[in-house]
Amino acid sequence: MSRWVSSALLGAGILALIGAGVAAAPKSAGHAPRAEAAKPLGIGREAKSDEIAGWDIDVRPDGKGLPPGKGTVREGEAIYMQQCAGCHGEFGESAGRWPILAGGENTLGSNDPVKSIGSFWPYASTVIDYIRRAMPFGNAQSLTNDELYAVTAYVFYLNDLIKDEHFELNANSFKSIKLPNERNFRDDDRDVAEKSLWRKSPCMTNCLPGPARITGRARVIDVTPESGKGPKVE
Amino acid sequence: MSKKPNRTSRRGFLRTALAGGAAAIASPALTADSNPANLPPNVADWSKTLGEGVAVRTYGKPAKSEAHIGRRDVSWLTASPQSSVSFTPLHEIDGIITPNGLCFERHHSGIAEVNPADYRLMLHGLVDKPLMFTLDDIKRMPRVNRAYFCECAANSGMEWRGAQLNGAQFTHGMVHCVMYTGVPLKVLLNEAGLKPSAKWLLLEGGDAAAMTRSLPLAKALDDALVAYRMNGEMLYPENGYPVRMVLPGWEANIWVKWLRRIEVGDQPWHTREETSKYTDVMADGQARRFTYVMEAKSVITNPSPQAPINHKSGFTVLSGIAWSGRGKIARVDVSIDGGRNWRPAKIDGPAWDKALTRFYYEFDWDGSELLLQSRAMDESGYVQPSKTELRKYRGVNSIYHNNGIQTWHVRSNGEVENVEVG
């Protein structure tokens, strides 16, 4: 083998070898090119229903995908204190720099919008879907369905979306929970709302009335790691 | 671009820059490490002795003196490094392709280390036949090669209220561009057969965030790829090994990594990443959602705060990148006086659809202060707006989709700072 490689590298007919291979390749049988995306390739096997059940954990706003199970605010409080409060704070106010889970009502139009489940999120389903797939952080998909309903109920309670601590959250009662900010979302409208940003010939000369003035500098803004003042990447 | 960076002073510089001090960039010591014994008329060591043989370096690395180049994070941005971001060092690379190891990272629950033998992609929902694919299955399918930029919707998100971070790496480094090899998503969908009611797809990652986004069917049938290679190599774990979504021109968050499941449905799911996050709050408190397209944007990468000009004056090349989620870059203009006057830049290399495009602007620098800007235009006729213009439409609380024109202030000593002009 090494002898062959070295002679090939030395130029002894590797091109000729390749050329011969091409010339000898059969042209027809079993080598017909396929028209793209015509009939299926027949690759992959059927997914079984129990396999799908194990992974299909999404929940939609209309409740499709909600698992069986139930849990009350009361039951949720114990789970929350044990598994969530360490990061998100006893009242969802955040312990340190972890995300808040509650608060911020009527701040969205202000200089400092606080986006929480109660103040910002449009759908209750997103809360249960997200906790189910991703929380507690570092121990994802560990909650039982009953624990999931209970702790979600408690998170709603922290946001005043449920007032009664005996409230039992389940696939049915879930539908009664509406988040107040739903109507304040609209689909992407940049093409229309910002139409003026499409322009045939942008200004090339004397585009400012006078020389450009510096109005802000990176180094005057205090973004020391310790102050934690910087905005967050979301 | 500073040729012989003194590593401690560079790091020190970044730290002071971020701390707001940044008194001065340690004047770039171009000759500090130079050894006269290697310079003519002497003959350098490496011209006399045998070097390392082949296959010692089974996987090559950049030269030792380039070892400082790397992704960086800004630790105060996030509470944990597992849900955080590291930035591409844009000022250290040229051309349009990002080396695999320098592509910015954004994870929500750390890097999933997937065993390729246990990798499965499930495709179900409103289909005739729910399917399960192995990695070998996916690699057997017809494939295509396409270079696309991938930009986080929050790129430049720290700059909405004003100039804040000193470095193109930090202001613009949540973008990369690699050549993907993958299967068009429509080929996979054709295997399963779509039901007539199909309108939306759910994409789900196999990481501990089980990242999920809703994808409109039209995009799925257009140019969406299920990719497994970047620049010829298998995807790196931090970029979704072994399989990720590629959605050309769209915000990176929907390019779900470690893809494990695609569900076909008839309405969007409104997942956390398209409600709580990746929605854009306008000045009136209302929020835009499903703002997928990354609009035309550009930045001068050299010079920039981490890459000062090292010559006092004379012939100077400004180098930068431009890109647009709406197609090809048609033109880039450059201003050296803060946007008062503009000249067309020279585009060099391919100007591919939804890929990074490299531009240069050459001029004789007289050594006076400069206010550098670049302005991208795409084939749809969209012109990259100034930050002032963008704020008029969007306020300052959007976090996402900041594609405003960047200004760098170059002092006569070559030092560069991130500034805003009015």
Side-chain angles (χ1 to χ4, degrees):
Chain A
M1 143 95 172
S2 70
R3 186 114 57 89
W4 180 82
V5 170
S6 59
S7 62
L9 286 172
L10 288 172
I14 193 166
L15 287 176
L17 271 173
I18 292 169
V22 169
K27 278 207 186 91
S28 53
H31 292 262
R34 295 175 59 96
E36 200 184 322
K39 71 177 207 290
L41 308 164
I43 298 176
R45 66 157 172 85
E46 185 141 4
K48 299 184 196 96
S49 53
D50 65 316
E51 292 175 322
I52 296 173
W55 280 13
D56 181 4
I57 53 172
D58 53 81
V59 180
R60 282 194 332 197
D62 62 2
K64 184 171 175 290
L66 281 168
K70 58 179 172 19
T72 64
V73 170
R74 263 250 171 108
E75 290 157 354
E77 179 174 14
I79 300 164
Y80 183 88
M81 290 308 162
Q82 215 177 13
Q83 300 203 46
C84 321
C87 291
H88 293 295
E90 275 185 39
F91 307 98
E93 79 287 13
S94 163
R97 298 167 59 217
W98 304 99
I100 53 143
L101 297 185
E105 282 70 22
N106 304 314
T107 62
L108 295 179
S110 78
N111 264 337
D112 189 14
V114 176
K115 297 187 278 180
S116 79
I117 291 165
S119 71
F120 187 60
W121 291 34
Y123 301 108
S125 60
T126 312
V127 184
I128 194 160
D129 173 275
Y130 182 70
I131 295 172
R132 189 186 192 191
R133 66 180 58 252
M135 289 294 137
F137 193 62
N139 193 18
Q141 301 193 44
S142 62
L143 299 173
T144 66
N145 289 342
D146 287 350
E147 287 170 335
L148 174 69
Y149 276 111
V151 82
T152 305
Y154 190 71
V155 170
F156 288 145
Y157 180 78
L158 289 177
N159 279 282
D160 289 330
L161 298 163
I162 296 176
K163 305 251 158 58
D164 172 9
E165 62 187 56
H166 299 292
F167 184 98
E168 182 191 284
L169 193 63
N170 55 43
N172 229 344
S173 67
F174 190 84
K175 298 192 174 106
S176 67
I177 304 198
K178 296 277 174 254
L179 304 196
N181 197 45
E182 178 182 342
R183 65 180 183 282
N184 288 322
F185 284 82
R186 60 172 187 266
D187 289 347
D188 188 0
D189 60 354
R190 288 175 294 174
D191 289 8
V192 178
E194 300 177 4
K195 194 96 205 141
S196 79
L197 300 180
W198 279 262
R199 43 185 85 137
K200 278 268 128 38
S201 41
C203 177
M204 295 300 281
T205 49
N206 290 319
C207 307
L208 304 174
R213 279 179 321 108
I214 293 177
T215 55
R217 296 178 170 280
R219 44 176 88 146
V220 304
I221 297 179
D222 184 10
V223 287
T224 48
E226 294 72 31
S227 77
K229 264 200 210 158
K232 287 185 176 171
V233 167
E234 301 207 346
Chain B
M1 268 230 178
S2 50
K3 302 249 168 36
K4 288 267 160 60
N6 168 331
R7 262 185 267 162
T8 29
S9 75
R10 174 180 295 258
R11 256 200 309 266
F13 161 65
L14 285 179
R15 208 175 321 116
T16 40
L18 291 172
I25 293 168
S27 65
L30 268 182
T31 50
D33 302 346
S34 181
N35 176 3
N38 289 328
L39 299 175
N42 302 316
V43 176
D45 283 347
W46 54 81
S47 305
K48 295 183 252 183
T49 54
L50 295 176
E52 233 168 46
V54 299
V56 175
R57 309 177 189 194
T58 49
Y59 195 98
K61 280 196 203 133
K64 283 190 194 106
S65 44
E66 306 288 329
H68 61 280
I69 295 170
R71 300 184 281 227
R72 296 276 184 277
D73 68 344
V74 176
S75 59
W76 54 258
L77 282 175
T78 49
S80 98
Q82 288 83 26
S83 177
S84 194
V85 55
S86 72
F87 301 85
T88 306
L90 297 176
H91 61 296
E92 300 278 13
I93 53 183
D94 212 323
I96 66 165
I97 295 292
T98 314
N100 286 342
L102 295 181
C103 291
F104 80 91
E105 306 167 279
R106 173 69 172 112
H107 320 309
H108 287 258
S109 287
I111 299 169
E113 298 281 357
V114 178
N115 174 1
D118 298 338
Y119 174 79
R120 293 293 182 276
L121 175 60
M122 184 185 282
L123 169 54
H124 70 111
L126 297 175
V127 295
D128 297 331
K129 186 178 162 196
L131 289 174
M132 188 82 92
F133 301 102
T134 64
L135 184 56
D136 283 342
D137 288 339
I138 292 168
K139 286 173 150 183
R140 264 182 69 201
M141 294 185 168
R143 74 207 77 149
V144 297
N145 294 293
R146 301 276 188 277
Y148 292 120
F149 78 81
C150 171
E151 184 186 17
C152 177
N155 200 19
S156 315
M158 290 81 78
E159 304 281 312
W160 273 108
R161 286 162 188 268
Q164 175 155 275
L165 294 169
N166 242 340
Q169 179 167 20
F170 303 111
T171 56
H172 290 76
M174 281 197 265
V175 67
H176 61 63
C177 182
V178 303
M179 173 76 77
Y180 294 98
T181 304
V183 185
L185 177 53
K186 59 184 171 220
V187 171
L188 286 163
L189 297 177
N190 192 49
E191 290 301 294
L194 291 174
K195 298 246 195 253
S197 51
K199 283 200 186 70
W200 287 82
L201 275 60
L202 184 76
L203 307 173
E204 183 178 80
D207 58 335
M211 172 61 56
T212 32
R213 289 292 304 256
S214 305
L215 174 71
L217 183 64
K219 182 73 171 175
L221 297 177
D222 180 15
D223 54 4
L225 295 182
V226 175
Y228 49 91
R229 291 186 185 276
M230 56 199 288
N231 295 330
E233 298 185 293
M234 285 303 287
L235 295 177
Y236 281 19
E238 54 271 42
N239 297 100
Y241 179 87
V243 175
R244 82 173 304 170
M245 279 309 306
V246 168
L247 293 157
W250 284 20
E251 61 188 20
N253 179 260
I254 197 170
W255 297 41
V256 171
K257 301 190 283 189
W258 312 290
L259 185 69
R260 76 162 193 173
R261 188 167 70 95
I262 299 174
E263 181 173 348
V264 182
D266 58 2
Q267 52 181 269
W269 278 259
H270 297 282
T271 69
R272 183 243 186 184
E273 310 300 330
E274 54 205 19
T275 53
S276 168
K277 308 297 171 196
Y278 303 96
T279 48
D280 317 336
V281 174
M282 300 290 104
D284 63 0
Q286 295 218 344
R288 286 177 177 159
R289 68 180 170 203
F290 304 134
T291 46
Y292 299 118
V293 173
M294 300 308 296
E295 301 185 288
K297 187 167 173 178
S298 67
V299 64
I300 292 171
T301 52
N302 301 86
S304 58
Q306 298 156 284
I309 303 184
N310 292 323
H311 54 271
K312 303 246 173 315
S313 60
F315 180 75
T316 303
V317 181
L318 308 180
S319 171
I321 45 176
W323 63 95
S324 168
R326 291 198 179 89
K328 293 180 183 136
I329 287 296
R331 195 173 106 198
V332 180
D333 295 328
V334 165
S335 170
I336 60 172
D337 61 4
R340 195 162 186 221
N341 295 289
W342 296 88
R343 292 279 176 74
K346 186 169 81 179
I347 286 176
D348 190 81
W352 281 326
D353 181 43
K354 305 181 184 82
L356 290 191
T357 299
R358 178 62 58 174
F359 67 86
Y360 298 109
Y361 181 73
E362 298 164 358
F363 71 113
D364 275 312
W365 183 37
D366 61 7
S368 63
E369 300 207 354
L370 305 169
L371 288 168
L372 302 180
Q373 296 188 338
S374 62
R375 178 175 70 187
M377 278 155 270
D378 67 23
E379 60 181 346
S380 81
Y382 181 93
V383 182
Q384 182 183 3
S386 71
K387 291 194 175 169
T388 316
E389 233 175 330
L390 206 57
R391 289 184 188 119
K392 261 186 232 147
Y393 282 122
R394 304 184 186 172
V396 295
N397 293 326
S398 159
I399 296 175
Y400 307 105
H401 295 283
N402 182 352
N403 64 320
I405 289 173
Q406 173 66 42
T407 311
W408 303 128
H409 178 211
V410 182
R411 288 167 193 269
S412 37
N413 66 359
E415 202 184 308
V416 184
E417 189 189 2
N418 175 11
V419 299
E420 290 230 3
V421 290

